[in-house]
Amino acid sequence: MTLEKLPHTGSLSYVEALLESYLEDPGSVPEEWREYFRGIDTNGGLPREFRTRPRFLPGRLFSADGDRGRAARLSEQARLLQHKVDEMVRTFRVRGHLTAQINPLHEREFPEELEPEAFGLTDSDFDSVVSTENLPGPDEQTVSELYRRMRNTYCRSIGVEFMHIDDLESRFWLQQRMEVTENRLDVPRDTQFRILRRLSAAAVFEQFIQRKYLGAKSFSLEGAESLIPLLDLAIEKAGAQDIKEIVFGMAHRGHLNVLANILGKEPRWIFREFEDADPERYYGSGDVKYHLGHSSDWTTAKGKPIHLSLSFNPSHLEYIGPVALGRIRAKQDRLGDVERRSGMVILIHGDAAFAGEGIVQETLNLSQLPGYHVGGTFHVVVNNQVGFTTGPEEARSNTYATDVAKMLQVPILHVNGEDPEAVAQVVEVALDFRQEFQRDVVIDMYCYRRRGHNEGDEPAFTQPLLYREIRERQPVRVHYLEHLLDLGKVTRDEAEELIEQEEKALEVALASARESDRPGLDQAYGGLWRPYSGGPDENQPDVDTGVEPHRSQWLLERLCSIPEGFAVHPRIERLLEARRQMASGERDLDWATAELLAFASLATAGARVRMSGQDSARGTFSQRHAVLHDVENGALLHTLASLQSDQAPVEIFNSPLSEAGVLGFEYGYSLDCPDGLVVWEAQFGDFCNAAQVVIDQFLVSAEDKWKRLSGIVLLLPHGFEGQGPEHSSARLERWLTLAAEDNIQVANPTTPAQHFHLLRRQVLRPLRKPLIVMTPKSLLRNPQAVSSLEDLAASGFQRVIADTWACERADRVQRILMCSGKVYYDLLERRRELDDVPVAIVRLEQLFPLRASELERALTPFAPETPVVWVQEEPRNMGAWPFLRLQFGHRLLDRWEFSGIYRHESASPATGSAQSHKIEQDELLTRAFADL
């Protein structure tokens, strides 16, 4: 019987007494102990596990006079009392947070369930001495001392939820850490003064803006000023833990204050944005001031440097979470930090958003997954106790805004924001826990919002009682100052001097901001991004993306090389054999093989490749098989990871069943990996619908709003094969509607070689734009959709592919069919069935940006009176047709008559009937070749 399975384990002295009794008379101890003692060598005394693992020993009672005699002499009454105090300790750990005084606006009543009487304790028990060997500190305490200790630890300004954690080691760590100090930090005078200085800076900044820009939106931090010392202390602590990089993500509330007082953005630039003095610079672009990001370098009090980055964020406030995680993962990867200890993410949430936004759950779920783990995220919930006009009773169905975080094995630390020293304690505990266990931690800082949702809002319309109380409440700085004055830690003159210094500095900054000849703060590309650019596509020269056949052959052979002893699935072995034949030139390359060669050629040239998506390692359509599984022992073989010794990393991860969270993560990764290929793949193209916020507010608009570039690639399986509405369309029309100012690239290639060149172009040329690729499904195995090794050696991607067969018969061509993607092969097959009628089929491989010169070159061989007909599988109101009609009108490039063939307008992308699909597709092709 192991120690953990003993039904009635006692303190060390108790078990020693049992052993003594057993040695004298085995029948004097319970059967379960006899069984245990029979299984060990009792000549050497108790086994070492009792002495090295005392945390598994719930305490037992000693007699009041401290007698450690034989267990047989312990009274039943004493054992019962020990049981009561053990139950009391556990109840405080489990339920103490419910009575902790964490809310500055409402004092909680102490519940009867935590009164001594609830545990059967009476006044006569309070002087009894009980065992506390399983607690930090002394081995014995009186009941009254233990009760006071538990109440101080769990019921003051800090309430902790941690007993939901299954892992005994981390739970015991928390118990030890909190109970030894009674959850109170001994704050030295210099730290107290630092807290006061940060509170003063936060308060003066908000009051200054309210005076100078009356009614302007700033999303004031008033009521939650303790966030600034919290972040200050967290950064200092992170420096002591050798963290080099911190990425912040936060929403509007307090954003400007954090920019000024934590990120070090000069207030004059913030005031310049309030002045709105440079409207010409932001014509049709830019963003509001409380969405902007910033980066700076921080040196801790002990001289440790830390780089801080506050991410730009959209109005969908919680979507910055996975983006920030992706950024720090990329930074860690760049440093080769496989242990994830060099960087940290700090996410600052609102209470209503943390409880209400599903993206929060998606972000939390990434925390321990291999492809997304960052060493633990530091979450801070600024709990205003109201969301816009909605109170907690309408906003969530649980006790705390943070209850969703219980899905993780992590502590949730609720703290009163008006007790800055309690805030300092939770910062210490949280960051030490994160460092020890590399898991997320959550601080729920209860505070309030002194003003409305924004400065033009009247909160008393909907929360009259709450705001009556808030109006009468002194700011947290005043409360804390009075506390320090009572302790004699500061003088009132010192405190007033802090205020005067802050106000003077802000006045100087305002005067500087109002000087008319000062331009706005330029967010130029620097650091990693210096070699790359955005702007117009046509300004960027094309690059040669070809790879010599012998090099492709060698890479493909390496991809098919299986270590001895690795048992490959028989069907995959046939796939590998086919790829070996492709390497030798015996057969042409299919789509998946060309894609793997693109990855391999980039990695062996030094460019990191990262890909994630649902089932991407194998491929939704069982086409990729980039990661092989040994059928005998389940071992994994990453075929792209060991091509040559000096290659860059290649990582392909199966993502959780998440679109928004994972795409946000990969977008964030791309922000700090401009020199690599970062790919997100949807299981089916339409699945990106669930990530539309990330698409709208980051991918397609970030360059315009924030001057932030990204080279992320989205692979979206697209094509009408009768698989139903949700497995047909990647909603090409949405991408083209969002396309403007060369913000993204949208392609629908038709050959493996085109896909190969497109992926390589994304890395090799300096232009950085998100690339949206409509990838195929049926073409993955279509014998016509193949390429040769020589095709991969060609110079590069073709935006438009002319019809060379028709060009040779240009004088006979009566109609030009223009298309993209899979329908090309359907049209090609129908033309052959019709004995090669004189119809040209021109492929538009890149739909945006659309270079008119290349399209004109493909059409020029044909007479101007030749009609051009766009053919698409999608309904009339979807696909590329609405975009092309808007671009060209009724005459293409002012020369060719232009019309379209498509399915009828529809609210749904496709039919759910396979037979109906075939009928529709046949009608489409018939119309394309009608009257010829």
Side-chain angles (χ1 to χ4, degrees):
M1 179 179 293
T2 63
L3 177 63
E4 290 85 344
K5 293 182 179 178
L6 288 174
H8 189 63
T9 316
S11 68
L12 185 58
S13 57
Y14 173 69
V15 181
E16 286 173 335
L18 279 176
L19 177 58
E20 184 180 348
S21 298
Y22 172 78
L23 293 174
E24 292 181 4
D25 178 13
S28 66
V29 299
E31 170 59 32
E32 63 267 22
W33 284 101
R34 290 199 300 274
E35 181 183 347
Y36 177 72
F37 290 138
R38 281 196 296 268
I40 65 172
D41 181 6
T42 55
N43 291 328
L46 289 172
R48 189 168 178 267
E49 60 187 334
F50 274 100
R51 304 181 185 279
T52 59
R53 303 181 69 191
R55 61 180 174 274
F56 293 114
L57 302 173
R60 307 306 302 162
L61 179 70
F62 299 134
S63 57
D65 63 359
D67 176 25
R68 295 174 178 261
R70 293 173 57 195
R73 292 202 297 268
L74 290 176
S75 69
E76 186 61 33
Q77 180 182 0
R79 295 178 188 175
L80 179 59
L81 181 55
Q82 184 69 51
H83 174 75
K84 291 176 181 178
V85 295
D86 288 346
E87 185 63 26
M88 177 192 75
V89 169
R90 176 171 175 79
T91 302
F92 269 100
R93 289 170 176 167
V94 175
R95 306 282 289 172
H97 64 89
L98 293 172
T99 190
Q101 299 305 315
I102 57 176
N103 191 338
L105 300 179
H106 303 292
E107 185 173 343
R108 285 169 158 180
E109 293 184 6
F110 196 77
E112 292 183 1
E113 67 176 304
L114 292 178
E115 294 287 359
E117 294 79 9
F119 308 105
L121 298 172
T122 64
D123 291 344
S124 63
D125 296 321
F126 270 45
D127 291 330
S128 298
V129 178
V130 293
S131 170
T132 55
E133 284 188 347
N134 65 314
L135 300 173
D139 288 347
E140 302 175 20
Q141 281 188 301
T142 65
V143 173
S144 61
E145 289 171 335
L146 183 56
Y147 182 79
R148 177 194 57 77
R149 183 178 172 187
M150 290 298 105
R151 187 160 175 171
N152 284 348
T153 301
Y154 297 111
C155 302
R156 289 192 289 182
S157 296
I158 300 171
V160 189
E161 294 182 273
F162 70 104
M163 293 297 282
H164 61 279
I165 299 174
D166 294 330
D167 178 57
L168 290 176
E169 184 179 3
S170 56
R171 201 167 70 211
F172 179 70
W173 185 95
L174 287 161
Q175 290 170 191
Q176 293 279 323
R177 180 59 185 270
M178 295 184 294
E179 291 171 7
V180 73
T181 62
E182 297 184 7
N183 233 355
R184 200 70 180 177
L185 191 65
D186 184 12
V187 184
R189 195 265 180 190
D190 60 339
T191 302
Q192 290 174 324
F193 194 76
R194 186 183 184 106
I195 291 172
L196 180 63
R197 184 168 66 247
R198 289 298 189 177
L199 285 173
S200 300
V204 170
F205 180 84
E206 297 297 350
Q207 293 160 11
F208 190 86
I209 287 178
Q210 298 307 319
R211 290 200 312 270
K212 301 298 183 179
Y213 300 102
L214 186 65
K217 282 186 182 181
S218 66
F219 293 93
S220 166
L221 190 62
E222 291 170 286
E225 294 95 332
S226 288
L227 176 65
I228 300 303
L230 184 158
L231 296 176
D232 174 81
L233 294 169
I235 296 168
E236 290 291 310
K237 179 74 173 179
Q241 295 175 341
D242 290 328
I243 287 172
K244 305 295 191 301
E245 294 255 8
I246 299 178
V247 174
F248 294 82
M250 69 178 298
H252 314 336
R253 181 123 357 256
H255 195 106
L256 297 179
N257 210 314
V258 170
L259 277 170
N261 289 310
I262 298 297
L263 271 293
K265 183 174 181 178
E266 294 183 41
R268 61 174 171 147
W269 299 124
I270 297 174
F271 298 151
R272 186 79 174 177
E273 289 153 6
F274 274 103
E275 297 287 324
D276 201 8
D278 309 299
E280 295 83 4
R281 286 170 53 88
Y282 302 106
Y283 186 76
S285 66
D287 202 353
V288 290
K289 56 191 109 12
Y290 38 80
H291 285 178
L292 302 181
H294 193 70
S295 62
S296 62
D297 294 311
W298 176 295
T299 302
T300 70
K302 295 185 177 180
K304 295 290 187 70
I306 306 179
H307 185 71
L308 309 180
S309 300
L310 176 62
S311 301
F312 294 77
N313 72 283
S315 281
H316 278 80
L317 47 163
E318 287 294 337
Y319 279 79
I320 195 60
V323 174
L325 265 63
R327 290 193 62 192
I328 204 67
R329 173 77 177 220
K331 290 174 182 287
Q332 292 169 342
D333 284 348
R334 186 171 293 279
L335 294 173
D337 177 19
V338 295
E339 294 186 355
R340 312 293 166 197
R341 294 190 180 276
S342 62
M344 178 175 73
V345 173
I346 296 180
L347 294 182
I348 305 165
H349 313 266
D351 52 311
F354 198 81
E357 294 285 336
I359 191 67
V360 173
Q361 183 275 337
E362 292 191 35
T363 304
L364 292 172
N365 188 51
L366 299 176
S367 68
Q368 293 298 307
L369 303 181
Y372 312 92
H373 178 54
V374 297
T377 299
F378 184 75
H379 299 270
V380 180
V381 177
V382 179
N383 197 328
N384 295 305
Q385 306 183 66
V386 64
F388 204 160
T389 67
T390 304
E393 67 282 354
E394 295 178 292
R396 60 179 187 264
S397 299
N398 40 30
T399 304
Y400 294 112
T402 53
D403 280 352
V404 65
K406 287 183 180 178
M407 65 181 283
L408 303 182
Q409 299 286 296
V410 301
I412 302 169
L413 303 146
H414 308 282
V415 63
N416 190 320
E418 282 195 352
D419 187 343
E421 294 185 11
V423 170
Q425 164 70 359
V426 297
V427 168
E428 288 281 326
V429 172
L431 284 177
D432 281 344
F433 179 90
R434 178 195 171 275
Q435 184 186 45
E436 181 72 19
F437 298 102
Q438 290 196 283
R439 291 181 175 272
D440 289 24
V441 286
V442 181
I443 293 176
D444 180 18
M445 189 181 78
Y446 269 72
C447 47
Y448 53 86
R449 190 185 70 195
R450 185 168 291 279
R451 301 180 187 275
H453 175 68
N454 59 60
E455 283 60 34
D457 180 50
E458 175 49 71
F461 288 162
T462 52
Q463 275 83 25
L465 301 183
L466 176 66
Y467 275 87
R468 183 187 306 162
E469 185 172 355
I470 289 173
R471 281 194 297 270
E472 296 170 356
R473 194 154 195 89
Q474 291 286 349
V476 61
R477 177 192 171 274
V478 174
H479 287 293
Y480 190 57
L481 175 59
E482 293 302 322
H483 168 69
L484 296 183
L485 291 171
D486 290 344
L487 294 176
K489 299 289 186 175
V490 298
T491 66
R492 198 169 292 278
D493 287 344
E494 286 178 310
E496 291 302 320
E497 185 179 356
L498 288 176
I499 297 295
E500 291 173 7
Q501 290 173 350
E502 293 294 335
E503 288 181 340
K504 182 178 179 180
L506 293 179
E507 288 288 359
V508 171
L510 180 61
S512 176
R514 286 176 171 170
E515 293 180 14
S516 59
D517 60 342
R518 287 187 177 271
L521 181 62
D522 186 24
Q523 297 287 339
Y525 306 122
L528 291 173
W529 283 95
R530 195 175 302 278
Y532 308 101
S533 63
D537 176 83
E538 287 203 62
N539 291 353
Q540 294 289 335
D542 284 328
V543 294
D544 187 347
T545 57
V547 175
E548 290 297 322
H550 67 87
R551 180 64 178 172
S552 294
Q553 180 180 7
W554 182 85
L555 289 171
L556 192 46
E557 288 171 349
R558 293 290 299 153
L559 284 167
C560 298
S561 177
I562 305 301
E564 185 177 351
F566 190 93
V568 177
H569 191 285
R571 290 176 61 184
I572 295 178
E573 177 55 46
R574 290 197 292 272
L575 170 71
L576 294 175
E577 181 56 35
R579 288 178 177 172
R580 294 184 189 105
Q581 293 173 4
M582 294 175 195
S584 66
E586 297 175 52
R587 61 192 300 172
D588 286 328
L589 302 167
D590 60 19
W591 201 279
T593 304
E595 181 184 81
L596 290 175
L597 281 172
F599 294 163
S601 61
L602 289 170
T604 53
R608 173 184 287 275
V609 176
R610 176 187 166 93
M611 179 183 193
S612 78
Q614 292 159 23
D615 310 294
S616 286
R618 191 204 76 175
T620 295
F621 311 101
S622 197
Q623 83 279 14
R624 185 171 291 121
H625 294 289
V627 179
L628 305 182
H629 296 250
D630 190 306
V631 296
E632 300 294 337
N633 58 27
L636 301 182
L637 176 63
H638 296 260
T639 59
L640 287 158
S642 55
L643 300 168
Q644 64 186 42
S645 60
D646 61 346
Q647 73 170 78
V650 180
E651 297 176 309
I652 299 183
F653 296 107
N654 290 330
S655 75
L657 195 64
S658 157
E659 286 81 32
V662 174
L663 178 56
F665 188 100
E666 301 305 337
Y667 172 77
Y669 196 100
S670 74
L671 296 179
D672 283 87
C673 186
D675 50 351
L677 183 68
V678 183
V679 181
W680 176 73
E681 181 179 54
Q683 194 170 75
F684 283 88
D686 68 293
F687 285 17
C688 72
N689 293 351
Q692 200 65 44
V693 172
V694 178
I695 293 164
D696 291 350
Q697 303 205 343
F698 290 100
L699 265 71
V700 303
S701 58
E703 182 179 353
D704 200 35
K705 293 189 297 187
W706 308 320
K707 298 189 185 303
R708 285 296 175 266
L709 303 178
S710 166
I712 190 171
V713 177
L714 275 62
L715 303 183
L716 309 179
H718 174 86
F720 284 58
E721 284 109 350
Q723 296 188 53
E726 273 69 59
H727 288 165
S728 296
S729 177
R731 293 292 191 173
L732 177 60
E733 65 278 359
R734 291 185 182 172
W735 293 105
L736 294 175
T737 299
L738 293 168
E741 300 178 296
D742 288 10
N743 58 335
I744 56 176
Q745 306 163 94
V746 183
N748 193 7
T750 55
T751 72
Q754 281 284 85
H755 187 57
F756 171 88
H757 290 298
L758 186 61
L759 293 176
R760 285 179 51 80
R761 185 186 74 169
Q762 187 70 358
V763 175
L764 296 181
R765 71 172 179 163
L767 186 74
R768 286 295 176 268
K769 307 275 183 177
L771 170 62
I772 318 305
V773 186
M774 304 288 113
T775 55
K777 302 191 295 290
S778 63
L779 294 191
L780 294 173
R781 294 178 176 84
N782 189 321
Q784 297 182 84
V786 292
S787 300
S788 67
L789 292 173
E790 286 71 24
D791 293 331
L792 271 54
S795 61
F797 176 75
Q798 301 176 71
R799 294 173 176 83
V800 180
I801 298 180
D803 188 341
T804 54
W805 178 89
C807 287
E808 295 173 357
R809 302 160 178 78
D811 57 337
R812 295 173 48 210
V813 168
Q814 303 174 34
R815 181 178 301 166
I816 304 168
L817 301 179
M818 192 165 68
C819 64
S820 71
K822 165 190 164 287
V823 75
Y824 164 73
Y825 293 98
D826 296 331
L827 293 170
L828 189 63
E829 182 66 24
R830 181 58 61 93
R831 185 173 71 179
R832 288 170 181 162
E833 291 173 359
L834 296 174
D835 297 326
D836 293 330
V837 293
V839 170
I841 307 175
V842 174
R843 286 171 274 176
L844 197 55
E845 301 279 289
Q846 180 170 298
L847 293 153
F848 188 85
L850 202 163
R851 288 193 181 179
S853 59
E854 297 192 19
L855 178 58
E856 184 174 22
R857 190 178 305 122
L859 298 177
T860 296
F862 309 109
E865 64 272 13
T866 308
V868 177
V869 181
W870 174 257
V871 182
Q872 66 177 36
E873 297 182 292
E874 298 91 343
R876 180 173 183 264
N877 55 313
M878 300 178 192
W881 173 245
F883 170 78
L884 294 172
R885 174 60 96 188
L886 182 65
Q887 294 292 310
F888 297 119
H890 294 279
R891 293 194 67 78
L892 184 63
L893 303 177
D894 295 324
R895 290 179 60 186
W896 292 275
E897 179 187 339
F898 189 44
S899 61
I901 292 176
Y902 27 68
R903 281 174 165 82
H904 296 298
E905 286 187 355
S906 175
S908 177
T911 176
S913 164
Q915 292 303 315
S916 177
H917 162 77
K918 290 180 180 179
I919 295 171
E920 292 177 355
Q921 196 75 356
D922 183 70
E923 291 176 351
L924 193 77
L925 299 174
T926 299
R927 287 161 54 206
F929 291 92
D931 303 323
L932 290 174

